[in-house]
Amino acid sequence: MTNPSNAAVPLHLAGNNAPVTEEFTVEPTEVIGEIPADLNGMFVRNGPNPRTGWSPHYFAGDGMVHAVALAEGRARWYRNRYVRTPLYHHPGRSRFELGFDPATATIITESPPPTPTSSPTRADFWRSRKAASPTTSPQNWRL
């Protein structure tokens, strides 16, 4: 809902959509309801979360992965981590700036391409390690 006090803040940066400002790991102290005892594993969700607090579009924020580990009827922990993309390492710079070489007026096409994407849309697990990658690139980034 928009009112005069928050009219200047885009919907994708306000309320429940507001960026999370820190990475952390917590162990839950209370679960409301019941987690089935045979539900074991990890629930993972990733999406945009601009570190600078601003992005021009919902999908333009830095990627952040959220995970909840479940075992033996308990939520063991919750943690969130930014995806270490080029935009993570250069906060505030644009994708265009990171993917364009002004000296040659060309798009950077190294192999593998240094895709300066901001919000990966897929989480992968390999050898018990988590990684995230955009659906448009074969590149994986460390969490």
Side-chain angles (χ1 to χ4, degrees):
M1 178 173 163
T2 302
N3 60 49
S5 66
N6 70 1
V9 179
L11 179 63
H12 70 280
L13 299 174
N16 286 335
N17 297 323
V20 177
T21 58
E22 298 177 47
E23 294 180 326
F24 56 90
T25 300
V26 294
E27 294 182 13
T29 57
E30 177 184 7
V31 173
I32 298 172
E34 185 176 325
I35 298 172
D38 58 347
L39 183 59
N40 297 300
M42 192 179 333
F43 174 76
V44 178
R45 177 225 179 254
N46 66 338
N49 191 69
R51 283 177 52 203
T52 62
W54 168 255
S55 70
H57 187 274
Y58 180 76
F59 297 123
D62 297 285
M64 179 173 270
V65 175
H66 303 264
V68 176
L70 305 170
E72 301 169 356
R74 294 185 53 216
R76 298 292 185 179
W77 49 258
Y78 161 84
R79 67 180 57 146
N80 64 338
R81 297 291 182 269
Y82 279 102
V83 181
R84 296 338 195 232
T85 65
L87 282 177
Y88 174 86
H89 294 292
H90 304 282
R93 292 180 60 190
S94 73
R95 280 181 265 177
F96 179 77
E97 183 182 3
L98 293 171
F100 183 77
D101 182 359
T104 61
T106 60
I107 295 174
I108 299 170
T109 58
E110 298 170 14
S111 181
T115 310
T117 191
S118 55
S119 181
T121 56
R122 187 178 77 217
D124 299 317
F125 296 86
W126 185 70
R127 292 188 179 180
S128 300
R129 295 201 49 124
K130 294 182 284 299
S133 62
T135 56
T136 58
S137 170
Q139 197 167 10
N140 282 319
W141 289 295
R142 184 177 64 82
L143 302 179

